[in-house]
Amino acid sequence: QVQLVESGGGLVQAGGSLRLSCAASVRIFSSFSINTMGWYRQAPGKQRELVATVTSGGSTNYAEALKGRFTISRDNAKNTVYLQMNNLEFDDTAVYSCNAAIKVMVTTGPKEYTFWGQGTQVTVSS
């Protein structure tokens, strides 16, 4: 079984900062690797959108509008991805979810699956 658990969300005033964490727990696969990990968000009345991703090698990709304010990083030893959010704005209010692309060995051969966390609420007051 694979579980992704986010933490670090909460209420913050505009201009403040938050640091989100997401830890991946892989228990049933004897052979696996975690490739890309990422953060997405969904605001009220809107569809889920990309925030940022980071590969196992450290390559990053950001939503253009968020580049400069948000920073994604990971600790491969802990299977954990982080999102540092600075200069938060009211419109950043959303449920933030992490995901991980995990390559596992199944009967038919190697296969990559994407797993999602339950999400953590970030609320920015103006």
Side-chain angles (χ1 to χ4, degrees):
Q1 183 174 341
V2 177
Q3 291 187 353
L4 301 176
V5 181
E6 301 98 335
S7 62
L11 176 65
V12 64
Q13 289 186 308
S17 299
L18 283 175
R19 182 178 173 85
L20 306 182
S21 299
C22 174
S25 177
V26 184
R27 300 184 62 86
I28 66 172
F29 300 113
S30 59
S31 179
F32 72 93
S33 62
I34 302 178
N35 190 16
T36 302
M37 303 184 77
W39 288 95
Y40 296 75
R41 69 183 185 182
Q42 186 169 23
K46 299 182 179 180
Q47 297 188 41
R48 185 162 58 188
E49 63 180 355
L50 169 74
V51 174
T53 62
V54 57
T55 69
S56 60
S59 297
T60 59
N61 181 47
Y62 295 89
E64 187 172 357
L66 302 178
K67 186 179 298 184
R69 293 196 298 118
F70 290 12
T71 302
I72 190 171
S73 61
R74 65 189 287 170
D75 185 334
N76 290 330
K78 297 181 178 180
N79 292 329
T80 300
V81 62
Y82 306 94
L83 183 69
Q84 179 67 46
M85 303 185 293
N86 298 325
N87 299 318
L88 284 163
E89 304 170 355
F90 177 78
D91 288 344
D92 293 322
T93 296
V95 174
Y96 286 72
S97 302
C98 70
N99 76 344
I102 302 178
K103 182 181 293 184
V104 301
M105 180 63 68
V106 296
T107 303
T108 55
K111 176 67 175 180
E112 187 175 271
Y113 297 93
T114 300
F115 298 89
W116 292 87
Q118 80 286 351
T120 184
Q121 177 71 49
V122 171
T123 302
V124 183
S125 62
S126 60

